[in-house]
Amino acid sequence: MYRIYDTLKVFIACGDSQYNKALAEFISCELNLEVIGISETHKDLIRNKKLHCANLILLDTSFPDNKCFDAVNHIFYHNHRQNIIALTSEDKPMCLESIILLGFKGVIVKDRACDEIESAIKMVVKGKMYFSIKVEKAFKRHTAKTK
């Protein structure tokens, strides 16, 4: 990892506790990054004081209580420059456009997260956007259909 990652603090917010644990372990062990918090619900996320210490948030767009958008608004209210990467099971262009318009800096499809998380983090921390390969393909299909 580059020097920029030495102080990177990651917060994971996903409705699936097993997924959270696996992703946290991967980020900690394989990428040597500090996971400072994990949340499984919208309420737990916005109440967690560690959230505002994170440099990067991995946020599931399909929270069980359907409060993803409220969570994003809360995060950006406190830090409008926060780096948030969406963890999504969707590769539908309309859903992805909404995610981007909300201010997410990256999009990773959940079933590919461990394969793409390092590339996503590198890009987002450098101020660039990152889209999962599956997401890029979906955009290209959608663009080709609308022409």
Side-chain angles (χ1 to χ4, degrees), residues 37-54:
I38 296 175
S39 179
E40 293 180 24
T41 68
H42 161 260
K43 286 181 182 178
D44 290 342
L45 174 67
I46 62 174
R47 289 181 184 155
N48 194 314
K49 295 187 187 317
K50 292 181 181 179
L51 174 67
H52 304 295
C53 298

Side-chain angles (χ1 to χ4, degrees), residues 95-112:
C95 176
L96 298 171
E97 287 175 22
S98 297
I99 289 170
I100 294 164
L101 289 173
L102 276 170
F104 284 85
K105 305 290 193 291
V107 181
I108 300 174
V109 178
K110 285 163 95 173
D111 64 355
R112 304 279 307 161

Side-chain angles (χ1 to χ4, degrees), residues 53-91:
C53 298
N55 306 98
L56 178 77
I57 300 169
L58 301 172
L59 179 62
D60 185 354
T61 59
S62 59
F63 256 135
D65 52 5
N66 294 319
K67 296 288 188 173
C68 173
F69 303 123
D70 291 344
V72 172
N73 287 332
H74 172 81
I75 292 165
F76 284 135
Y77 176 79
H78 291 281
N79 180 359
H80 68 279
R81 292 184 175 158
Q82 183 60 267
N83 292 316
I84 305 175
I85 297 176
L87 298 170
T88 182
S89 55
E90 300 287 330
D91 65 353

